[in-house]
Amino acid sequence: MDREATQAKYAEEREKRLRPDGNDQYQRLADKFAHFEDDPYVPRRERTVKKDHVTVAFIGGGFSGLVTGARLAELGIHDVRIIEKGGDFGGTWYWNRYPGAMCDTASMIYLPLLEETGHMPTEKYARAPEILAHCERIGRQYGLYDKALFHTRVQEMSWQEQQACWRITTDRGDDFTAQFVAMGTGPLHVPKLPGLSGIENFKGHSFHTSRWDYAYTGGDAAGAPMTGLADKKVALIGTGATAVQCIPHLAAACKTFFVCQRTPSSVDFRTNEPTDPAWYAAATEDAGWQQRWMENFTENMNPLGRAEEDLVRDGWTDLARRFRERVATLPEAQRKDPLAMFKAWETADYDKMDAIRARVDEEVKDPETAASLKAWYRQLCKRPCFHDDYLDAFNNASTVLLDTDGKGVERITEAGVVVAGKEYPVDCIIYGTGFLIGTETQDRCGFEMIGRAGVTLSEYWEKGMRTLHGVSTHGFPNAFRVQPTQAANFIANVPHNIVESARTIALMIKHTLDAGYSVIETEAAAEAEWLKLLSESSLMLADPSCTPGYYNNEGQPLPEEARVYVGHPGGPMAYFRYIDEWRSNGRFDGMALR
Ligand code: NDP
């Protein structure tokens, strides 16, 4: 296909998928579906109610809480209480135990604190049980289990001006105070369902991929075969990053397996391989190797970067490399012309997507199925996927692709799913339909934060998120966040954002305590100045010409307040370099200490 025809095809496919209800097409797991959110993994344990005081309370026991806890412990601050809604540490890796779950970014840079823990990842892309075990390892090594509260949800956090601390209440009746609070609640932790007509009437079994029901399917997260599905007809709704990983396992296990597809994912090569211990020993010989690897990957992902080597070498860096090679062919003058640069990037993307589509033809035997599995959009319009067995799963005689041609499942009946007017009776429906991505702070954290003078975070952020460095907010003293927005905004390796923010926060807390202050707070002027700098950035994930999805607000215009969901205008490495200097010079410019 020539470029014009490809462009026209992209626009045509986008149109099919566009719908006026945008994000409202989804529903929360409430009422009849509330039990979908129950923890199937760890039983809830009774414990005493906490009415005490701690130095630091951290909301969220995933990578963010663990790495911040570790950095604090390294600085001698051990009075840290992590509050976590799951039954153990792990966050996303605690909940997502679906078959085939593994990291999509190389273990060497994705698993935090490898150097500190001495753990060698067993594969280039570690599987979920290994990642979960690594989380537990960090928890044990840094003593974070001692004070952690599991199966506990914060209900409210309010600043106590007189005592200069935060009061925290939880759904377990805890009511304690903390001098400092920090949060790493993650953007993708509230599962969602499609708002399909009849969904509540289905009489068979159903569950969401983030709470895998091994009691029903048989097997386990470690890969034991799901023998419970051998006599079952199963429908999976969704073909996003989660579905891509579990489809090969379901295809092998079910008597009949229907994959309900609305938009095909782009599935690039993965080439996972076991780690060679000799190679690992050599690669990790020098102190600080993991930081160097992370920075090397981030630098490689910078389309204008000048990384001389590519340590990770995978599908992520391949796209960026292709773009750099294109740019290198441009005359010098054109390298400053945004239109010429856009064209170079678009051409690199066309080539990459052509290769990804060609791979479908090479691997999928049935031409009609192959045609349906091809993604017609630019690669970064939706979350790129990487897998070696996904496409081959569709060669399995018991696997049936129900391509909805962009329209989605029509409705659900007592017996099964309806696609293009035809009912497919099934025993089980599995929802691989993702997570709520909202912009409302309370919605995502599940609790309200009340800052100085009784102002809530929702009120303060009514017109959009406001932070200094993505980490702290004026009017909310001694409070910090671990998340990428208004900071590096580096999505290809989220843990890189986490390790940097954790270091920044730990150093701020250490400085406040050592200098004998009780309060550290963002100055309004510094916050405003930072937001002014960020206003020079473009909104990376909101390209309206892309096929709809959560990257671009389902193709709907962005609400005004989302315009501040940006990163440093110089790109991720510019932020990481800047923040390292800011936190290391000992001045903590823009923070008031009292
Ligand atoms: P997604 O939101 O990416 O995917 C949801 C899927 O459900 C999409 O295919 C969507 O189609 C489909 N869907 C929704 N409604 C309907 C409907 N009515 N009919 C048919 N299909 C429907 O969720 P995931 O859980 O797959 O992934 C979420 C994110 O989690 C990823 O983007 C990634 O960031 C992260 N993740 C990371 C992994 C890793 O690093 N290893 C692994 C898994 C997830 P459509 O595309 O048309 O909207």
Side-chain angles (χ1 to χ4, degrees):
M1 249 192 200
D2 66 31
R3 293 300 173 237
E4 265 179 37
T6 307
Q7 235 166 9
K9 175 82 173 152
Y10 283 10
E12 186 192 321
E13 292 296 319
R14 176 183 181 275
E15 272 310 303
K16 279 188 201 167
R17 174 63 180 72
L18 202 59
R19 32 191 292 172
D21 51 358
N23 264 320
D24 293 340
Q25 68 183 283
Y26 302 110
Q27 57 173 321
R28 298 186 78 105
L29 302 184
D31 306 324
K32 196 177 171 204
F33 298 107
H35 69 282
F36 269 37
E37 227 179 329
D38 291 349
D39 182 350
Y41 314 121
V42 175
R44 183 182 139 124
R45 254 178 254 123
E46 288 312 313
R47 62 166 173 81
T48 53
V49 165
K50 302 293 172 200
K51 304 258 178 197
D52 52 358
H53 177 84
V54 291
T55 307
V56 184
F58 196 102
I59 325 301
F63 280 179
S64 300
L66 289 164
V67 180
T68 308
R71 292 288 175 238
L72 286 165
E74 282 169 354
L75 296 175
I77 301 163
H78 299 283
D79 187 23
V80 177
R81 172 173 291 155
I82 295 179
I83 302 134
E84 164 56 48
K85 71 177 175 179
D88 202 334
F89 291 129
T92 238
W93 298 101
Y94 175 84
W95 295 112
N96 288 281
R97 302 186 189 199
Y98 58 83
M102 61 169 77
C103 58
D104 267 354
T105 303
S107 315
M108 296 282 277
I109 54 168
Y110 185 82
L111 293 186
L113 305 175
L114 285 179
E115 206 167 341
E116 291 82 347
T117 56
H119 174 68
M120 180 191 84
T122 56
E123 291 175 282
K124 181 163 181 177
Y125 300 92
R127 283 157 215 269
E130 180 174 343
I131 304 176
L132 183 58
H134 186 61
C135 292
E136 292 161 8
R137 178 179 300 115
I138 296 170
R140 283 194 305 275
Q141 178 163 329
Y142 292 95
L144 301 173
Y145 275 99
D146 301 347
K147 293 203 161 69
L149 302 181
F150 295 117
H151 282 147
T152 304
R153 288 173 190 260
V154 169
Q155 284 185 325
E156 194 177 274
M157 229 155 50
S158 55
W159 174 248
Q160 311 295 304
E161 188 69 33
Q162 292 295 318
Q163 300 99 310
C165 65
W166 287 89
R167 178 179 172 193
I168 298 158
T169 54
T170 76
D171 65 347
R172 303 284 296 256
D174 307 301
D175 187 351
F176 60 93
T177 53
Q179 184 177 354
F180 302 94
V181 293
M183 265 156 289
T185 48
L188 295 162
H189 70 110
V190 183
K192 72 181 183 212
L193 291 179
L196 291 171
S197 139
I199 188 168
E200 65 287 349
N201 299 332
F202 180 59
K203 292 252 190 292
H205 194 71
S206 51
F207 58 89
H208 189 273
T209 49
S210 67
R211 307 286 189 275
W212 197 269
D213 190 352
Y214 283 107
Y216 178 83
T217 63
D220 59 31
M226 294 183 283
T227 48
L229 299 179
D231 59 348
K232 301 282 190 305
K233 283 187 182 176
V234 176
L236 172 72
I237 301 185
T239 49
T242 297
V244 164
Q245 294 188 331
C246 63
I247 279 171
H249 299 264
L250 286 166
C254 301
K255 182 177 166 211
T256 310
F257 177 38
F258 297 108
V259 178
C260 306
Q261 171 182 274
R262 186 164 66 180
T263 314
S265 275
S266 74
V267 186
D268 203 358
F269 66 89
R270 136 91 35 145
T271 49
N272 200 11
E273 58 194 7
T275 311
D276 171 3
W279 170 85
Y280 187 80
T284 62
E285 217 169 40
D286 298 330
W289 71 264
Q290 196 177 24
Q291 185 70 17
R292 275 196 303 282
W293 270 68
M294 279 197 187
E295 289 177 6
N296 178 265
F297 178 78
T298 307
E299 197 63 85
N300 268 284
M301 288 303 292
N302 177 358
L304 300 176
R306 302 192 187 283
E308 279 171 13
E309 59 176 340
D310 177 0
L311 293 169
V312 168
R313 290 196 306 271
D314 68 357
W316 291 104
T317 58
D318 184 53
L319 177 66
R321 182 184 51 74
R322 284 170 187 248
F323 174 68
R324 279 199 299 276
E325 285 170 3
R326 279 272 158 201
V327 171
T329 65
L330 293 177
E332 190 64 38
Q334 284 194 20
R335 291 187 209 171
K336 295 202 172 64
D337 172 6
L339 190 63
M341 293 295 280
F342 175 77
K343 287 270 170 226
W345 170 65
E346 202 176 33
T347 307
D349 195 281
Y350 281 137
D351 291 348
K352 178 82 191 178
M353 288 301 286
D354 278 347
I356 289 174
R357 286 187 288 263
R359 184 181 181 222
V360 182
D361 284 328
E362 282 158 26
E363 297 214 14
V364 178
K365 294 196 180 96
D366 174 48
E368 204 183 315
T369 306
S372 296
L373 286 168
K374 287 181 190 166
W376 294 100
Y377 44 80
R378 289 196 302 273
Q379 195 188 23
L380 296 183
C381 277
K382 289 177 86 77
R383 167 64 150 69
C385 296
F386 308 90
H387 213 285
D388 294 334
D389 308 316
Y390 173 72
L391 294 168
D392 188 43
F394 292 91
N395 294 324
N396 190 318
S398 56
T399 301
V400 183
L401 178 66
L402 299 182
D403 182 21
T404 68
D405 197 25
K407 295 183 193 68
V409 169
E410 215 169 277
R411 62 197 159 85
I412 290 183
T413 63
E414 288 189 2
V417 295
V418 178
V419 171
K422 185 172 172 197
E423 184 185 61
Y424 296 84
V426 291
D427 300 294
C428 175
I429 300 177
I430 303 174
Y431 293 97
T433 45
F435 303 86
L436 283 178
I437 303 270
T439 50
E440 293 149 51
T441 45
Q442 208 208 344
D443 209 30
R444 281 193 285 154
C445 298
F447 61 88
E448 190 53 276
M449 207 176 164
I450 305 166
R452 215 154 13 75
V455 177
T456 66
L457 192 65
S458 303
E459 285 163 352
Y460 189 64
W461 283 4
E462 200 186 349
K463 294 204 172 72
M465 180 178 180
R466 297 181 67 85
T467 68
L468 174 65
H469 306 149
V471 169
S472 58
T473 296
H474 176 67
F476 296 81
N478 291 7
F480 312 101
R481 319 186 142 251
V482 181
Q483 55 81 47
T485 310
Q486 298 194 352
N489 229 9
F490 186 52
I491 305 305
N493 185 24
V494 171
H496 194 173
N497 306 266
I498 293 174
V499 298
E500 296 291 343
S501 297
R503 196 169 275 139
T504 308
I505 293 167
L507 283 170
M508 277 196 269
I509 293 177
K510 172 80 173 154
H511 176 73
T512 310
L513 292 172
D514 282 0
Y517 294 109
S518 49
V519 176
I520 180 165
E521 185 183 353
T522 308
E523 289 167 354
E527 188 179 277
E529 192 69 17
W530 183 249
L531 291 170
K532 190 159 162 269
L533 175 80
L534 295 179
S535 68
E536 293 163 24
S537 315
S538 51
L539 257 177
M540 189 177 72
L541 298 178
D543 186 342
S545 72
C546 278
T547 197
Y550 81 81
Y551 272 22
N552 70 347
N553 195 36
E554 296 292 331
Q556 299 301 322
L558 275 174
E560 198 47 41
E561 65 269 19
R563 308 232 159 255
V564 290
Y565 279 75
V566 291
H568 191 288
M573 273 317 296
Y575 174 84
F576 292 140
R577 283 193 199 100
Y578 162 83
I579 202 71
D580 189 41
E581 206 285 318
W582 182 87
R583 69 185 170 220
S584 308
N585 66 23
R587 294 198 308 270
F588 298 98
D589 295 329
M591 302 301 292
L593 287 136
R594 295 201 302 275

